[in-house]
mmCIF file of all heavy atoms in Angstrom:
data_model
loop_
_atom_site.group_PDB
_atom_site.id
_atom_site.type_symbol
_atom_site.label_atom_id
_atom_site.label_comp_id
_atom_site.label_asym_id
_atom_site.label_seq_id
_atom_site.Cartn_x
_atom_site.Cartn_y
_atom_site.Cartn_z
ATOM 1 N N ALA D 1 6.398 -22.896 -0.481
ATOM 2 C CA ALA D 1 6.534 -24.297 -0.063
ATOM 3 C C ALA D 1 7.955 -24.726 0.128
ATOM 4 O O ALA D 1 8.228 -25.899 0.437
ATOM 5 C CB ALA D 1 5.853 -25.196 -1.091
ATOM 6 N N GLN D 2 8.934 -23.784 -0.039
ATOM 7 C CA GLN D 2 10.333 -24.124 0.086
ATOM 8 C C GLN D 2 10.831 -23.924 1.523
ATOM 9 O O GLN D 2 10.122 -23.390 2.367
ATOM 10 C CB GLN D 2 11.179 -23.301 -0.889
ATOM 11 C CG GLN D 2 10.731 -23.408 -2.343
ATOM 12 C CD GLN D 2 10.668 -24.836 -2.846
ATOM 13 O OE1 GLN D 2 11.655 -25.580 -2.766
ATOM 14 N NE2 GLN D 2 9.495 -25.233 -3.328
ATOM 15 N N HIS D 3 12.063 -24.354 1.758
ATOM 16 C CA HIS D 3 12.661 -24.223 3.085
ATOM 17 C C HIS D 3 14.061 -23.609 2.929
ATOM 18 O O HIS D 3 14.603 -23.541 1.827
ATOM 19 C CB HIS D 3 12.769 -25.599 3.761
ATOM 20 C CG HIS D 3 11.449 -26.296 3.883
ATOM 21 N ND1 HIS D 3 10.515 -25.964 4.830
ATOM 22 C CD2 HIS D 3 10.911 -27.320 3.141
ATOM 23 C CE1 HIS D 3 9.460 -26.759 4.688
ATOM 24 N NE2 HIS D 3 9.675 -27.589 3.665
ATOM 25 N N GLY D 4 14.626 -23.163 4.028
ATOM 26 C CA GLY D 4 15.996 -22.642 3.986
ATOM 27 C C GLY D 4 16.087 -21.231 4.546
ATOM 28 O O GLY D 4 15.075 -20.588 4.902
ATOM 29 N N GLU D 5 17.299 -20.715 4.615
ATOM 30 C CA GLU D 5 17.554 -19.372 5.117
ATOM 31 C C GLU D 5 17.091 -18.338 4.089
ATOM 32 O O GLU D 5 16.896 -18.639 2.906
ATOM 33 C CB GLU D 5 19.035 -19.197 5.413
ATOM 34 C CG GLU D 5 19.571 -20.146 6.462
ATOM 35 C CD GLU D 5 18.914 -19.923 7.820
ATOM 36 O OE1 GLU D 5 18.620 -18.757 8.135
ATOM 37 O OE2 GLU D 5 18.691 -20.904 8.541
ATOM 38 N N THR D 6 16.960 -17.097 4.554
ATOM 39 C CA THR D 6 16.439 -16.024 3.703
ATOM 40 C C THR D 6 17.270 -15.844 2.428
ATOM 41 O O THR D 6 16.719 -15.769 1.335
ATOM 42 C CB THR D 6 16.374 -14.704 4.483
ATOM 43 O OG1 THR D 6 15.506 -14.839 5.590
ATOM 44 C CG2 THR D 6 15.889 -13.567 3.607
ATOM 45 N N ALA D 7 18.583 -15.783 2.583
ATOM 46 C CA ALA D 7 19.448 -15.568 1.405
ATOM 47 C C ALA D 7 19.287 -16.731 0.421
ATOM 48 O O ALA D 7 19.231 -16.497 -0.793
ATOM 49 C CB ALA D 7 20.897 -15.449 1.847
ATOM 50 N N GLU D 8 19.193 -17.936 0.938
ATOM 51 C CA GLU D 8 19.048 -19.105 0.078
ATOM 52 C C GLU D 8 17.694 -19.080 -0.646
ATOM 53 O O GLU D 8 17.605 -19.365 -1.836
ATOM 54 C CB GLU D 8 19.152 -20.366 0.948
ATOM 55 C CG GLU D 8 19.016 -21.671 0.159
ATOM 56 C CD GLU D 8 19.074 -22.883 1.085
ATOM 57 O OE1 GLU D 8 19.335 -22.693 2.304
ATOM 58 O OE2 GLU D 8 18.837 -23.991 0.584
ATOM 59 N N ARG D 9 16.665 -18.672 0.056
ATOM 60 C CA ARG D 9 15.320 -18.605 -0.532
ATOM 61 C C ARG D 9 15.247 -17.487 -1.585
ATOM 62 O O ARG D 9 14.604 -17.665 -2.637
ATOM 63 C CB ARG D 9 14.271 -18.382 0.555
ATOM 64 C CG ARG D 9 14.123 -19.577 1.500
ATOM 65 C CD ARG D 9 13.247 -19.211 2.693
ATOM 66 N NE ARG D 9 11.845 -19.040 2.288
ATOM 67 C CZ ARG D 9 10.950 -20.019 2.182
ATOM 68 N NH1 ARG D 9 11.305 -21.264 2.453
ATOM 69 N NH2 ARG D 9 9.690 -19.763 1.829
ATOM 70 N N SER D 10 15.902 -16.366 -1.310
ATOM 71 C CA SER D 10 15.903 -15.283 -2.295
ATOM 72 C C SER D 10 16.595 -15.714 -3.572
ATOM 73 O O SER D 10 16.113 -15.436 -4.689
ATOM 74 C CB SER D 10 16.587 -14.045 -1.714
ATOM 75 O OG SER D 10 15.867 -13.512 -0.648
ATOM 76 N N HIS D 11 17.728 -16.387 -3.415
ATOM 77 C CA HIS D 11 18.460 -16.897 -4.586
ATOM 78 C C HIS D 11 17.596 -17.889 -5.363
ATOM 79 O O HIS D 11 17.562 -17.868 -6.603
ATOM 80 C CB HIS D 11 19.755 -17.530 -4.146
ATOM 81 C CG HIS D 11 20.585 -18.078 -5.248
ATOM 82 N ND1 HIS D 11 21.300 -17.279 -6.129
ATOM 83 C CD2 HIS D 11 20.790 -19.356 -5.662
ATOM 84 C CE1 HIS D 11 21.916 -18.034 -6.997
ATOM 85 N NE2 HIS D 11 21.618 -19.308 -6.773
ATOM 86 N N ALA D 12 16.931 -18.777 -4.645
ATOM 87 C CA ALA D 12 16.060 -19.776 -5.299
ATOM 88 C C ALA D 12 14.911 -19.127 -6.027
ATOM 89 O O ALA D 12 14.537 -19.534 -7.118
ATOM 90 C CB ALA D 12 15.544 -20.777 -4.246
ATOM 91 N N PHE D 13 14.343 -18.069 -5.445
ATOM 92 C CA PHE D 13 13.232 -17.362 -6.102
ATOM 93 C C PHE D 13 13.702 -16.729 -7.407
ATOM 94 O O PHE D 13 13.021 -16.812 -8.428
ATOM 95 C CB PHE D 13 12.661 -16.299 -5.168
ATOM 96 C CG PHE D 13 11.569 -15.506 -5.806
ATOM 97 C CD1 PHE D 13 10.283 -16.025 -5.919
ATOM 98 C CD2 PHE D 13 11.817 -14.235 -6.310
ATOM 99 C CE1 PHE D 13 9.260 -15.292 -6.526
ATOM 100 C CE2 PHE D 13 10.807 -13.491 -6.939
ATOM 101 C CZ PHE D 13 9.542 -14.019 -7.028
ATOM 102 N N ALA D 14 14.878 -16.081 -7.373
ATOM 103 C CA ALA D 14 15.418 -15.505 -8.597
ATOM 104 C C ALA D 14 15.606 -16.568 -9.667
ATOM 105 O O ALA D 14 15.298 -16.353 -10.854
ATOM 106 C CB ALA D 14 16.748 -14.797 -8.298
ATOM 107 N N GLY D 15 16.106 -17.752 -9.268
ATOM 108 C CA GLY D 15 16.269 -18.831 -10.216
ATOM 109 C C GLY D 15 14.960 -19.285 -10.792
ATOM 110 O O GLY D 15 14.859 -19.642 -11.982
ATOM 111 N N SER D 16 13.900 -19.322 -9.981
ATOM 112 C CA SER D 16 12.601 -19.758 -10.482
ATOM 113 C C SER D 16 12.039 -18.774 -11.477
ATOM 114 O O SER D 16 11.381 -19.183 -12.455
ATOM 115 C CB SER D 16 11.638 -19.961 -9.305
ATOM 116 O OG SER D 16 11.212 -18.729 -8.750
ATOM 117 N N VAL D 17 12.276 -17.471 -11.277
ATOM 118 C CA VAL D 17 11.816 -16.470 -12.237
ATOM 119 C C VAL D 17 12.612 -16.570 -13.540
ATOM 120 O O VAL D 17 12.043 -16.451 -14.644
ATOM 121 C CB VAL D 17 11.921 -15.051 -11.663
ATOM 122 C CG1 VAL D 17 11.597 -14.013 -12.732
ATOM 123 C CG2 VAL D 17 10.962 -14.891 -10.481
ATOM 124 N N PHE D 18 13.906 -16.835 -13.437
ATOM 125 C CA PHE D 18 14.713 -17.062 -14.627
ATOM 126 C C PHE D 18 14.153 -18.223 -15.424
ATOM 127 O O PHE D 18 14.049 -18.187 -16.662
ATOM 128 C CB PHE D 18 16.172 -17.342 -14.253
ATOM 129 C CG PHE D 18 17.011 -17.726 -15.420
ATOM 130 C CD1 PHE D 18 17.469 -16.781 -16.323
ATOM 131 C CD2 PHE D 18 17.370 -19.053 -15.633
ATOM 132 C CE1 PHE D 18 18.260 -17.130 -17.430
ATOM 133 C CE2 PHE D 18 18.128 -19.425 -16.706
ATOM 134 C CZ PHE D 18 18.596 -18.478 -17.614
ATOM 135 N N GLU D 19 13.788 -19.299 -14.730
ATOM 136 C CA GLU D 19 13.212 -20.451 -15.387
ATOM 137 C C GLU D 19 11.882 -20.119 -16.034
ATOM 138 O O GLU D 19 11.583 -20.550 -17.168
ATOM 139 C CB GLU D 19 13.043 -21.580 -14.359
ATOM 140 C CG GLU D 19 12.918 -22.959 -14.974
ATOM 141 C CD GLU D 19 13.044 -24.044 -13.915
ATOM 142 O OE1 GLU D 19 12.335 -23.955 -12.912
ATOM 143 O OE2 GLU D 19 13.833 -24.968 -14.099
ATOM 144 N N LEU D 20 11.045 -19.345 -15.344
ATOM 145 C CA LEU D 20 9.776 -18.905 -15.895
ATOM 146 C C LEU D 20 9.991 -18.131 -17.186
ATOM 147 O O LEU D 20 9.312 -18.368 -18.205
ATOM 148 C CB LEU D 20 9.049 -18.008 -14.887
ATOM 149 C CG LEU D 20 7.738 -17.340 -15.331
ATOM 150 C CD1 LEU D 20 6.657 -18.375 -15.506
ATOM 151 C CD2 LEU D 20 7.301 -16.257 -14.338
ATOM 152 N N ARG D 21 10.972 -17.234 -17.198
ATOM 153 C CA ARG D 21 11.271 -16.459 -18.414
ATOM 154 C C ARG D 21 11.743 -17.355 -19.527
ATOM 155 O O ARG D 21 11.362 -17.208 -20.702
ATOM 156 C CB ARG D 21 12.342 -15.422 -18.087
ATOM 157 C CG ARG D 21 11.850 -14.290 -17.185
ATOM 158 C CD ARG D 21 12.987 -13.338 -16.854
ATOM 159 N NE ARG D 21 12.513 -12.186 -16.060
ATOM 160 C CZ ARG D 21 13.297 -11.224 -15.621
ATOM 161 N NH1 ARG D 21 14.594 -11.253 -15.883
ATOM 162 N NH2 ARG D 21 12.786 -10.226 -14.924
ATOM 163 N N GLN D 22 12.593 -18.299 -19.197
ATOM 164 C CA GLN D 22 13.157 -19.215 -20.188
ATOM 165 C C GLN D 22 12.043 -20.056 -20.817
ATOM 166 O O GLN D 22 11.967 -20.190 -22.046
ATOM 167 C CB GLN D 22 14.205 -20.109 -19.515
ATOM 168 C CG GLN D 22 15.088 -20.896 -20.450
ATOM 169 C CD GLN D 22 16.123 -21.654 -19.678
ATOM 170 O OE1 GLN D 22 15.914 -22.085 -18.543
ATOM 171 N NE2 GLN D 22 17.294 -21.841 -20.262
ATOM 172 N N TYR D 23 11.157 -20.591 -20.016
ATOM 173 C CA TYR D 23 10.061 -21.405 -20.535
ATOM 174 C C TYR D 23 9.110 -20.577 -21.372
ATOM 175 O O TYR D 23 8.673 -21.017 -22.438
ATOM 176 C CB TYR D 23 9.302 -22.060 -19.361
ATOM 177 C CG TYR D 23 9.909 -23.388 -18.911
ATOM 178 C CD1 TYR D 23 11.229 -23.442 -18.450
ATOM 179 C CD2 TYR D 23 9.170 -24.554 -18.933
ATOM 180 C CE1 TYR D 23 11.760 -24.642 -18.028
ATOM 181 C CE2 TYR D 23 9.695 -25.753 -18.517
ATOM 182 C CZ TYR D 23 11.004 -25.796 -18.078
ATOM 183 O OH TYR D 23 11.533 -26.996 -17.675
ATOM 184 N N ALA D 24 8.810 -19.377 -20.912
ATOM 185 C CA ALA D 24 7.887 -18.511 -21.673
ATOM 186 C C ALA D 24 8.434 -18.192 -23.041
ATOM 187 O O ALA D 24 7.712 -18.239 -24.060
ATOM 188 C CB ALA D 24 7.592 -17.249 -20.875
ATOM 189 N N ALA D 25 9.730 -17.850 -23.103
ATOM 190 C CA ALA D 25 10.352 -17.472 -24.391
ATOM 191 C C ALA D 25 10.371 -18.661 -25.362
ATOM 192 O O ALA D 25 10.050 -18.506 -26.543
ATOM 193 C CB ALA D 25 11.756 -16.944 -24.149
ATOM 194 N N LEU D 26 10.731 -19.833 -24.855
ATOM 195 C CA LEU D 26 10.813 -20.999 -25.727
ATOM 196 C C LEU D 26 9.429 -21.467 -26.161
ATOM 197 O O LEU D 26 9.248 -21.863 -27.314
ATOM 198 C CB LEU D 26 11.593 -22.099 -25.033
ATOM 199 C CG LEU D 26 13.096 -21.871 -24.978
ATOM 200 C CD1 LEU D 26 13.772 -22.872 -24.052
ATOM 201 C CD2 LEU D 26 13.702 -21.986 -26.382
ATOM 202 N N LEU D 27 8.466 -21.448 -25.258
ATOM 203 C CA LEU D 27 7.137 -21.834 -25.659
ATOM 204 C C LEU D 27 6.574 -20.879 -26.713
ATOM 205 O O LEU D 27 5.936 -21.322 -27.671
ATOM 206 C CB LEU D 27 6.215 -21.875 -24.413
ATOM 207 C CG LEU D 27 6.412 -23.083 -23.499
ATOM 208 C CD1 LEU D 27 5.679 -22.872 -22.185
ATOM 209 C CD2 LEU D 27 5.931 -24.365 -24.176
ATOM 210 N N GLN D 28 6.819 -19.601 -26.558
ATOM 211 C CA GLN D 28 6.377 -18.634 -27.561
ATOM 212 C C GLN D 28 7.020 -18.942 -28.909
ATOM 213 O O GLN D 28 6.366 -18.881 -29.951
ATOM 214 C CB GLN D 28 6.704 -17.218 -27.120
ATOM 215 C CG GLN D 28 6.236 -16.135 -28.117
ATOM 216 C CD GLN D 28 6.592 -14.754 -27.689
ATOM 217 O OE1 GLN D 28 7.637 -14.541 -27.095
ATOM 218 N NE2 GLN D 28 5.730 -13.792 -27.955
ATOM 219 N N ALA D 29 8.320 -19.262 -28.891
ATOM 220 C CA ALA D 29 9.008 -19.584 -30.133
ATOM 221 C C ALA D 29 8.417 -20.809 -30.794
ATOM 222 O O ALA D 29 8.372 -20.907 -32.027
ATOM 223 C CB ALA D 29 10.499 -19.813 -29.846
ATOM 224 N N HIS D 30 7.926 -21.746 -30.003
ATOM 225 C CA HIS D 30 7.285 -22.939 -30.526
ATOM 226 C C HIS D 30 5.779 -22.751 -30.787
ATOM 227 O O HIS D 30 5.061 -23.715 -30.975
ATOM 228 C CB HIS D 30 7.485 -24.118 -29.577
ATOM 229 C CG HIS D 30 8.866 -24.745 -29.650
ATOM 230 N ND1 HIS D 30 9.207 -25.665 -30.577
ATOM 231 C CD2 HIS D 30 9.955 -24.537 -28.890
ATOM 232 C CE1 HIS D 30 10.462 -26.036 -30.397
ATOM 233 N NE2 HIS D 30 10.947 -25.364 -29.367
ATOM 234 N N GLY D 31 5.331 -21.501 -30.737
ATOM 235 C CA GLY D 31 3.946 -21.202 -31.060
ATOM 236 C C GLY D 31 2.952 -21.518 -29.961
ATOM 237 O O GLY D 31 1.772 -21.730 -30.236
ATOM 238 N N MET D 32 3.405 -21.525 -28.705
ATOM 239 C CA MET D 32 2.521 -21.837 -27.575
ATOM 240 C C MET D 32 2.578 -20.711 -26.543
ATOM 241 O O MET D 32 3.503 -19.915 -26.533
ATOM 242 C CB MET D 32 2.930 -23.164 -26.938
ATOM 243 C CG MET D 32 2.874 -24.345 -27.890
ATOM 244 S SD MET D 32 3.236 -25.899 -27.051
ATOM 245 C CE MET D 32 1.806 -26.031 -25.962
ATOM 246 N N THR D 33 1.581 -20.687 -25.666
ATOM 247 C CA THR D 33 1.555 -19.691 -24.628
ATOM 248 C C THR D 33 1.737 -20.323 -23.264
ATOM 249 O O THR D 33 1.393 -21.479 -23.046
ATOM 250 C CB THR D 33 0.195 -18.916 -24.616
ATOM 251 O OG1 THR D 33 -0.874 -19.876 -24.413
ATOM 252 C CG2 THR D 33 -0.018 -18.192 -25.948
ATOM 253 N N LEU D 34 2.305 -19.529 -22.326
ATOM 254 C CA LEU D 34 2.492 -19.965 -20.971
ATOM 255 C C LEU D 34 1.642 -19.103 -20.075
ATOM 256 O O LEU D 34 1.622 -17.882 -20.200
ATOM 257 C CB LEU D 34 3.971 -19.818 -20.560
ATOM 258 C CG LEU D 34 4.318 -20.156 -19.113
ATOM 259 C CD1 LEU D 34 4.096 -21.654 -18.843
ATOM 260 C CD2 LEU D 34 5.744 -19.753 -18.777
ATOM 261 N N GLN D 35 0.916 -19.742 -19.157
ATOM 262 C CA GLN D 35 0.106 -19.028 -18.188
ATOM 263 C C GLN D 35 0.418 -19.513 -16.798
ATOM 264 O O GLN D 35 0.928 -20.634 -16.625
ATOM 265 C CB GLN D 35 -1.402 -19.229 -18.496
ATOM 266 C CG GLN D 35 -1.827 -18.664 -19.827
ATOM 267 C CD GLN D 35 -3.306 -18.884 -20.098
ATOM 268 O OE1 GLN D 35 -3.678 -19.596 -21.001
ATOM 269 N NE2 GLN D 35 -4.139 -18.275 -19.293
ATOM 270 N N LEU D 36 0.124 -18.696 -15.806
ATOM 271 C CA LEU D 36 0.286 -19.110 -14.433
ATOM 272 C C LEU D 36 -0.939 -19.910 -13.958
ATOM 273 O O LEU D 36 -2.054 -19.622 -14.363
ATOM 274 C CB LEU D 36 0.444 -17.888 -13.503
ATOM 275 C CG LEU D 36 1.708 -17.026 -13.724
ATOM 276 C CD1 LEU D 36 1.684 -15.867 -12.738
ATOM 277 C CD2 LEU D 36 2.977 -17.843 -13.557
ATOM 278 N N GLU D 37 -0.683 -20.899 -13.143
ATOM 279 C CA GLU D 37 -1.780 -21.627 -12.560
ATOM 280 C C GLU D 37 -2.575 -20.723 -11.627
ATOM 281 O O GLU D 37 -2.011 -19.843 -10.969
ATOM 282 C CB GLU D 37 -1.281 -22.829 -11.768
ATOM 283 C CG GLU D 37 -0.781 -23.994 -12.632
ATOM 284 C CD GLU D 37 -1.910 -24.854 -13.164
ATOM 285 O OE1 GLU D 37 -3.072 -24.416 -13.120
ATOM 286 O OE2 GLU D 37 -1.635 -25.969 -13.641
ATOM 287 N N GLY D 38 -3.867 -20.952 -11.519
ATOM 288 C CA GLY D 38 -4.717 -20.170 -10.613
ATOM 289 C C GLY D 38 -5.833 -19.488 -11.342
ATOM 290 O O GLY D 38 -5.834 -19.381 -12.571
ATOM 291 N N ASP D 39 -6.818 -19.036 -10.564
ATOM 292 C CA ASP D 39 -8.002 -18.403 -11.172
ATOM 293 C C ASP D 39 -7.797 -16.926 -11.443
ATOM 294 O O ASP D 39 -8.245 -16.409 -12.437
ATOM 295 C CB ASP D 39 -9.200 -18.604 -10.229
ATOM 296 C CG ASP D 39 -9.581 -20.047 -10.047
ATOM 297 O OD1 ASP D 39 -9.394 -20.830 -11.031
ATOM 298 O OD2 ASP D 39 -10.019 -20.423 -8.961
ATOM 299 N N ALA D 40 -7.122 -16.224 -10.528
ATOM 300 C CA ALA D 40 -7.001 -14.772 -10.637
ATOM 301 C C ALA D 40 -5.661 -14.390 -11.249
ATOM 302 O O ALA D 40 -4.851 -13.665 -10.670
ATOM 303 C CB ALA D 40 -7.157 -14.108 -9.276
ATOM 304 N N VAL D 41 -5.401 -14.888 -12.467
ATOM 305 C CA VAL D 41 -4.154 -14.564 -13.168
ATOM 306 C C VAL D 41 -4.467 -13.845 -14.456
ATOM 307 O O VAL D 41 -5.510 -14.043 -15.083
ATOM 308 C CB VAL D 41 -3.332 -15.852 -13.455
ATOM 309 C CG1 VAL D 41 -2.901 -16.496 -12.161
ATOM 310 C CG2 VAL D 41 -4.110 -16.814 -14.307
ATOM 311 N N THR D 42 -3.549 -12.989 -14.836
ATOM 312 C CA THR D 42 -3.692 -12.224 -16.086
ATOM 313 C C THR D 42 -2.361 -12.272 -16.813
ATOM 314 O O THR D 42 -1.311 -12.582 -16.233
ATOM 315 C CB THR D 42 -4.079 -10.764 -15.837
ATOM 316 O OG1 THR D 42 -3.152 -10.205 -14.890
ATOM 317 C CG2 THR D 42 -5.477 -10.665 -15.270
ATOM 318 N N GLU D 43 -2.392 -11.948 -18.087
ATOM 319 C CA GLU D 43 -1.169 -11.910 -18.893
ATOM 320 C C GLU D 43 -1.233 -10.755 -19.855
ATOM 321 O O GLU D 43 -2.310 -10.327 -20.276
ATOM 322 C CB GLU D 43 -0.970 -13.235 -19.650
ATOM 323 C CG GLU D 43 -2.090 -13.556 -20.619
ATOM 324 C CD GLU D 43 -1.832 -14.842 -21.367
ATOM 325 O OE1 GLU D 43 -0.768 -14.976 -21.957
ATOM 326 O OE2 GLU D 43 -2.738 -15.731 -21.348
ATOM 327 N N GLY D 44 -0.069 -10.264 -20.232
ATOM 328 C CA GLY D 44 0.041 -9.234 -21.217
ATOM 329 C C GLY D 44 1.190 -9.565 -22.130
ATOM 330 O O GLY D 44 1.764 -10.655 -22.094
ATOM 331 N N SER D 45 1.579 -8.625 -22.967
ATOM 332 C CA SER D 45 2.690 -8.848 -23.889
ATOM 333 C C SER D 45 3.990 -8.833 -23.122
ATOM 334 O O SER D 45 4.536 -7.763 -22.777
ATOM 335 C CB SER D 45 2.702 -7.759 -24.963
ATOM 336 O OG SER D 45 3.777 -7.964 -25.863
ATOM 337 N N GLY D 46 4.497 -10.018 -22.762
ATOM 338 C CA GLY D 46 5.766 -10.095 -22.084
ATOM 339 C C GLY D 46 5.708 -10.096 -20.570
ATOM 340 O O GLY D 46 6.740 -9.918 -19.922
#
């Protein structure tokens, strides 16, 4: 759903994954789990 040139979009995607990792780690520390939105999603240890 984003816009911009390829290099800009690649950089933004990397930032979004960094944010995903950051949220997952902190939520786990607070005793909570993070899942992806959607029906066909799975999760494992890490």
Side-chain angles (χ1 to χ4, degrees):
Q2 305 306 304
H3 304 282
E5 299 298 324
T6 298
E8 181 183 353
R9 292 171 69 86
S10 294
H11 180 75
F13 177 78
S16 73
V17 173
F18 173 77
E19 200 168 51
L20 174 70
R21 291 176 175 179
Q22 193 176 32
Y23 273 60
L26 285 168
L27 285 168
Q28 181 181 35
H30 283 276
M32 300 185 67
T33 59
L34 176 67
Q35 296 180 245
L36 295 180
E37 286 280 15
D39 297 326
V41 296
T42 53
E43 61 179 306
S45 179

